[in-house]
Amino acid sequence: MRPRSLTTTLALAFAATTLAVFGLVGTFVYLALEQQVKVQDDLDIVLAARHTRRLADELTDYGDILRHRERLESQVLGNEALSLRISDSAGKTLVQHNVDPAIGTLEMPTAAVPANAQITERAIAPLAIATGAPIRALAVDAALQNGTIATIVVMRDMHDRWLLLDRYRDKLQLAGVLGVLLAFCIGYFLVRRAMQPVREMAVNAASITSDKLDTRIEASRVPIELEPLVVSLNGMLARLESSFQRLSQFTADLAHDMRTPLSNMRGAMEVALARPRPVEEYQATLESGLEECERLSRMIENVLFLARAEHPQFAKNMRIIDGGKELQHIADYFEGLADDAGVHIVACGSAMLRVDVELFRRAVSNLLANAMRFTPAQGMITLSIHSAEDRVRVCVENEGAPIDPSLLERIFDRFYRADPSRGASGTTAGSAGLGLAIVRTIMDLHGGRAHAESDARSTRFILTFPVVEASDLPEGGSISRSQISNL
């Protein structure tokens, strides 16, 4: 089932709110009016009963009541809903005015107010005739001059009040229905108009394609409440554009770097097959092809590593280690390679790190192998670690020609070489331009940072890790040859 539109939902919510408000206000007003009408009618009954009893108290006997009948009836004249009945002590009716036959036969459910008692609204009793119309009546006793008692009953027919309240209730209900419909229509119009920026955002977003990733949603025309959403969407588009550009560049660089060894192998094979050759030349051609295959394998493995490292949970075997001991292990392993290259490796310092050990070794090994390629003979490479207040710094420093400051950030890009022509002058054979990119990716996985510094004295690659606390030192371990096989 398709969900209801947000505009309709909000309009219905406005209508329901209006209905609830109308219902509460209408009920309150109706009950207040009903109470006010009841109080006013009860006051009319009490006043009529008081005046009639005061007049009756001045009369001598029942005969005077008959003689002053018009005077007594005048207390209820002018209000057709009021009626009066005066009877003697035996219940015989002496005076009767505006009394409906159905009302005249009713008996008071309560005793009459005594002659010497105060008449109040609490003495009024509700009655009902056969038609169901409500009656409110008040019975009081009046003491005549000769000591006899006359009973005065003042009654109020509430049928007109019923009709008044019914009509008022009907009008309130009609006003409520019209108000709800009006609120729904106005709410629908206002919400639809307020949602116009959202529809414009949807149109703008629909126009963004792979070749228009630089398009952004205009934030100046949206309400303040939608600005965070627009900022977030534009940020997402910027990240997608950056990722798409990196992916395009990465794909182009990968294709270029894979084409080179394939072209080398194809050229060597074509030369070897051009004419019959000695076995030694065929063996040399196969060895050259094998080296190119190994280069391709290393490149593919590094690319797969970078692809897997995009997942935030890739570095999940985190533990606390002594960074100084790990640097010494790495230096010991590279000692043989360093002797062949004619350089010296020194490890110093100590600090605790929380890392994935295999990834940490790979990052430092990449930096160390890179330093060995550019350190002159008899040069020095220093592996150091020290902790500051809020970070731990691991530094791989080597002597040699400085790096142009404008390239210090670009050298961490994938497949980047200092030589724009992508020749061998900016790198060495076997390097695919992924070693430093892997280092930066590993640091991102650890929540750290990798950067380079270079001057006439030396070049320094610095890995910055968050500070950790540890109570026990981890067990030492040695680095395997496979960890530098992909440099």
Side-chain angles (χ1 to χ4, degrees):
M1 180 179 177
R2 184 179 180 182
R4 188 168 49 233
S5 71
L6 182 60
T7 302
T8 304
T9 301
L10 290 177
L12 289 175
F14 290 154
T17 303
T18 303
L19 178 62
V21 171
F22 266 99
L24 291 176
V25 173
T27 301
F28 173 79
V29 172
Y30 178 83
L31 294 177
L33 177 63
E34 184 181 35
Q35 180 64 24
Q36 184 64 33
V37 168
K38 177 182 176 183
V39 170
Q40 184 62 46
D41 290 340
D42 288 351
L43 180 60
D44 291 343
I45 295 173
V46 169
L47 291 177
R50 287 177 181 176
H51 293 322
T52 303
R53 187 175 70 173
R54 185 173 64 252
L55 292 175
D57 288 343
E58 299 174 355
L59 302 178
T60 303
D61 51 24
Y62 295 140
D64 275 354
I65 292 177
L66 293 175
R67 286 189 292 271
H68 296 83
R69 175 175 182 171
E70 293 182 359
R71 186 180 178 189
L72 293 172
E73 291 176 350
S74 66
Q75 303 306 312
V76 295
L77 289 177
N79 190 338
E80 295 182 357
L82 286 176
S83 58
L84 174 67
R85 186 180 65 189
I86 302 176
S87 57
D88 57 17
S89 57
K92 180 181 178 182
T93 300
L94 301 176
V95 176
Q96 182 172 280
H97 175 74
N98 199 27
V99 177
D100 188 271
I103 300 177
T105 59
L106 295 176
E107 296 292 335
M108 291 295 297
T110 59
V113 178
N116 57 352
Q118 183 180 4
I119 303 174
T120 63
E121 291 83 352
R122 290 190 296 271
I124 298 176
L127 302 175
I129 60 178
T131 60
I135 303 295
R136 294 185 65 78
L138 174 61
V140 297
D141 288 339
L144 304 180
Q145 296 294 325
N146 63 359
T148 58
I149 299 297
T151 301
I152 303 171
V153 179
V154 179
M155 292 169 285
R156 176 62 162 86
D157 187 353
M158 304 299 294
H159 182 70
D160 61 328
R161 299 306 192 194
W162 258 19
L163 296 177
L164 172 66
L165 292 175
D166 285 348
R167 288 194 296 268
Y168 188 74
R169 183 179 64 248
D170 293 341
K171 291 180 179 180
L172 286 177
Q173 291 175 350
L174 178 61
V177 172
L178 295 178
V180 168
L181 294 176
L182 183 62
F184 177 82
C185 295
I186 294 177
Y188 188 89
F189 171 76
L190 293 178
V191 173
R192 184 171 179 81
R193 184 171 182 178
M195 295 293 288
Q196 181 63 30
V198 178
R199 290 192 291 272
E200 293 178 357
M201 288 171 54
V203 172
N204 291 337
S207 66
I208 299 174
T209 58
S210 59
D211 57 341
K212 295 182 180 180
L213 289 178
D214 58 337
T215 305
R216 297 293 181 267
I217 299 175
E218 182 62 41
S220 60
R221 299 182 60 186
V222 301
I224 297 177
E225 293 80 4
L226 294 179
E227 283 187 2
L229 175 61
V230 173
V231 171
S232 298
L233 290 175
N234 285 336
M236 179 189 68
L237 291 173
R239 292 190 296 271
L240 288 175
E241 181 185 14
S242 176
S243 298
F244 190 81
Q245 289 176 349
R246 289 199 307 269
L247 180 60
S248 299
Q249 185 63 40
F250 178 74
T251 304
D253 292 341
L254 179 60
H256 188 285
D257 279 70
M258 293 185 70
R259 184 175 61 184
T260 300
L262 288 174
S263 297
N264 293 340
M265 287 190 291
R266 179 176 179 176
M269 293 178 184
E270 288 176 348
V271 170
L273 295 174
R275 60 181 176 82
R277 298 178 183 276
V279 175
E280 292 78 7
E281 291 189 18
Y282 286 123
Q283 289 178 341
T285 301
L286 292 176
E287 290 175 358
S288 175
L290 181 60
E291 290 178 358
E292 296 297 340
C293 288
E294 290 178 351
R295 180 182 176 188
L296 281 173
S297 297
R298 289 194 298 270
M299 184 187 305
I300 293 173
E301 186 170 346
N302 285 334
V303 170
L304 290 176
F305 173 85
L306 291 172
R308 292 194 300 268
E310 295 292 336
H311 196 283
Q313 301 299 322
F314 180 71
K316 58 184 178 181
N317 298 319
M318 308 289 284
R319 60 189 180 94
I320 297 175
I321 63 170
D322 185 336
K325 288 186 177 181
E326 286 298 328
L327 291 181
Q328 187 61 56
H329 292 322
I330 297 172
D332 292 342
Y333 181 81
F334 275 85
E335 184 176 358
L337 298 176
D339 291 341
D340 294 340
V343 298
H344 304 284
I345 301 176
V346 177
C348 60
S350 178
M352 305 305 295
L353 293 173
R354 185 175 183 274
V355 295
D356 184 308
V357 179
E358 296 299 322
L359 295 182
F360 174 75
R361 290 173 177 173
R362 182 167 189 172
V364 177
S365 298
N366 282 11
L367 294 178
L368 184 53
N370 184 75
M372 289 176 59
R373 287 198 292 268
F374 298 100
T375 302
Q378 305 306 315
M380 178 72 70
I381 299 176
T382 303
L383 306 181
S384 62
I385 181 173
H386 70 276
S387 60
E389 293 182 358
D390 58 347
R391 62 187 183 276
V392 176
R393 288 165 58 99
V394 176
C395 180
V396 178
E397 182 178 6
N398 68 281
E399 300 174 352
I403 302 175
D404 188 334
S406 63
L407 303 179
L408 290 178
E409 279 299 313
R410 296 191 62 189
I411 58 177
F412 288 96
D413 293 343
R414 299 174 183 181
F415 294 107
Y416 178 77
R417 291 182 175 85
D419 184 0
S421 67
R422 304 184 65 85
S425 60
T427 184
T428 61
S431 173
L434 293 174
L436 295 181
I438 290 175
V439 171
R440 172 156 286 183
T441 299
I442 291 174
M443 292 307 299
D444 291 341
L445 291 171
H446 286 81
R449 177 172 176 262
H451 70 284
E453 299 173 355
S454 186
D455 51 36
R457 180 177 61 87
S458 64
T459 298
R460 298 167 297 281
F461 287 88
I462 301 170
L463 308 180
T464 304
F465 292 88
V467 171
V468 296
E469 298 293 337
S471 58
D472 299 320
L473 290 176
E475 296 182 0
S478 61
I479 187 169
S480 64
R481 182 175 297 271
S482 63
Q483 290 177 293
I484 65 169
S485 62
N486 296 323
L487 299 179

